[in-house]
Amino acid sequence: MKNNQLIRNVAVLLVAALICVVAGSAFWEQQQPDVLYTGNPNITGVLKLSDYNANLKGTINDVDIYVFDSGVPGGKAFIYGGTHTNEVGSMLNAVTYLENAKCEAGTIYVMVHANNSGYTHTQPLRGQIGKMTFDLPDGTVREFHVGTRLTNPIHQWPDPNYRFNPSGRELKHDELAEIRNLNRNHPGVQDGYLTEQTCWAIYNFINTEGIDFILDGHEAGAESTTLVNTLVVHENAVPLGSTAVMNCVINNLPMRLEFSGQTSYGLSHRGLGDNTNALCTLFESCNPVMGGYHEKIDEALFKDGISGNYRAMWEAGLFGNNYEIPEEGWPIEKRTAYHMSISKELINAFDTLYPDKPIKVSGLPDANEMIEKGLEYTLKSLG
Amino acid sequence: MISVLYVIYRIIVAILALVVIWDIIREKKFDMAICLGIVCIPLVLRALGIK
């Protein structure tokens, strides 16, 4: 081998190594966990998902469930976000509860990152940002990762060629990646794939703790006309859901109720609603990023929710009168406030409908103030 | 079983990455060396469990 040929080839290797370091450090940074504020004195305990499925011990999805136990026996609510990790309004609602909530009666359980693995990557070729930041008034910055709706293949691979699990959903052909979708595999499999194990841990947690109702937070693109600003409820949860939605409408929040589809196999409201005693609900706010007609997915689109495409489609009458796509968009503080309002109304409704199981929450920020001043004023500083 | 498959996959990927790197050293044509350099990047990241 000639010397100059060797030098040339080593140079190629060095360039490849440099690209590995540059690209790898970006991927590595995405895998670092969010730092959450856990200084809320009303947190009375922290559970792990592995307490309910030992197979999750040591895995990325062994996430924390924060307990707000009032000490007064009553109803038990489970509010969680981060099932789909780019539907950030739900996650920030869970963060709002984590940082501010005080349970006055009953017990509230809060999980921020339901599918933690999903936060460690973004969808290839989608050109999406990996995190969003908030500049707080004291000069500090809060960062939250934004991921994708599926579990990261580095944590769950390979996908099967065929899967028919207890959810009733038959996965084949181009649906196979859904084996990594937390909201397609409920109630899960104890020793199945990582996502199925996570689903089973949630199912076992609900049964073990005797959870009375759950709220699974999501976001949908504006073209999902039956989902946007909609609370989807299992048939057992219709009285609870309709009461909560009615109270929201009275408060001028344009929300609607939708029944869980009988064939919505593996979705939380169907898979957990059918297999547990909990009243299962799921709320969707409007996020242009989730639709198929979004602009470039940068931080501004995630945070401000302003989309010219969706505004034009709404003005053309394509979405009916179900909801508005205002010029000011659907900013993150508004979406989070909607999640917070519906979850609060669910708690109030349960307290009213089941007086033998009281549950009350206080300490949450005012929704109007949150929308007006932004999340920068409600998020706690990490110091 | 699934985690065992993933470990086997990573071992295979690591061996492939080493073979490609060795080929880069031995390659006589510059354009082929560049091609191999491009190929080895995802192999290395996969073997390390980064992406």
Side-chain angles (χ1 to χ4, degrees), chain A residues 1 5-6 8-9 12-13 16 19-20 24 27-28 31 122 153-154 157 192-193, chain B residues 2 6 9 21 24-30 33 37 40-41 44-45 49-51:
Chain A
M1 187 182 292
Q5 182 187 315
L6 182 65
R8 193 189 62 192
N9 289 357
V12 170
L13 254 184
I19 294 171
C20 280
F27 293 131
W28 185 252
Q31 291 179 32
T122 54
I154 68 166
W157 194 90
Y193 289 85
Chain B
I2 296 160
Y6 186 59
Y9 165 74
I21 289 168
I24 293 173
I25 301 289
R26 292 169 56 226
E27 183 55 52
K28 290 175 183 169
K29 292 181 180 172
F30 183 52
C40 83
I41 294 166
V44 169
L45 293 178
I50 292 174
K51 177 64 181 173

Side-chain angles (χ1 to χ4, degrees), chain A residues 105-312:
Chain A
T107 310
I108 297 173
Y109 299 85
V110 175
M111 182 163 64
V112 178
H113 297 136
N115 186 4
N116 201 28
S117 170
Y119 285 96
T120 64
H121 71 139
T122 54
Q123 189 177 319
L125 303 177
R126 198 162 186 243
Q128 178 201 298
I129 50 130
K131 68 177 178 185
M132 52 197 299
T133 56
F134 295 90
D135 299 318
L136 306 192
D138 67 352
T140 59
V141 177
R142 290 290 303 272
E143 288 185 352
F144 296 97
H145 279 102
V146 181
T148 188
R149 58 193 284 114
L150 301 177
T151 300
N152 193 333
I154 68 166
H155 301 129
Q156 180 184 317
W157 194 90
D159 292 341
N161 293 321
Y162 177 85
R163 190 70 167 172
F164 187 61
N165 65 21
S167 71
R169 180 175 290 271
E170 191 178 26
L171 298 180
K172 55 187 179 182
H173 308 311
D174 58 348
E175 289 180 359
L176 285 165
E178 297 293 289
I179 192 64
R180 290 184 280 119
N181 185 339
L182 192 71
N183 204 34
R184 295 294 182 276
N185 290 284
H186 291 293
V189 181
Q190 185 175 9
D191 58 353
Y193 289 85
L194 178 67
T195 311
E196 292 175 324
Q197 290 177 12
T198 310
C199 288
W200 197 86
I202 293 170
Y203 156 80
N204 194 30
F205 161 75
I206 290 169
N207 281 340
T208 305
E209 300 298 333
I211 302 295
D212 291 302
F213 74 91
I214 71 167
L215 175 67
D216 179 12
H218 287 259
E219 293 194 298
E223 69 267 44
S224 302
T225 51
T226 57
L227 286 177
V228 167
N229 294 339
T230 300
L231 184 73
V232 185
V233 296
H234 186 265
E235 50 267 28
N236 295 343
V238 171
L240 175 72
S242 54
T243 307
V245 167
M246 188 175 66
N247 286 337
C248 285
V249 171
I250 289 170
N251 292 325
N252 287 326
L253 296 176
M255 295 185 186
R256 297 174 300 140
L257 192 77
E258 181 81 24
F259 285 3
S260 167
Q262 290 294 327
T263 55
S264 296
Y265 299 125
L267 276 75
S268 59
H269 44 77
R270 176 54 54 199
L272 294 171
D274 283 349
N275 294 288
T276 71
N277 291 324
L279 306 176
C280 294
T281 69
L282 180 153
F283 180 69
E284 302 259 7
S285 55
C286 181
N287 181 354
V289 171
M290 301 314 305
Y293 307 98
H294 56 75
E295 288 89 345
K296 180 183 172 188
I297 312 177
D298 53 12
E299 190 171 356
L301 187 61
F302 261 112
K303 285 175 72 175
D304 302 336
I306 298 173
S307 167
N309 294 347
Y310 279 108
R311 170 82 177 161

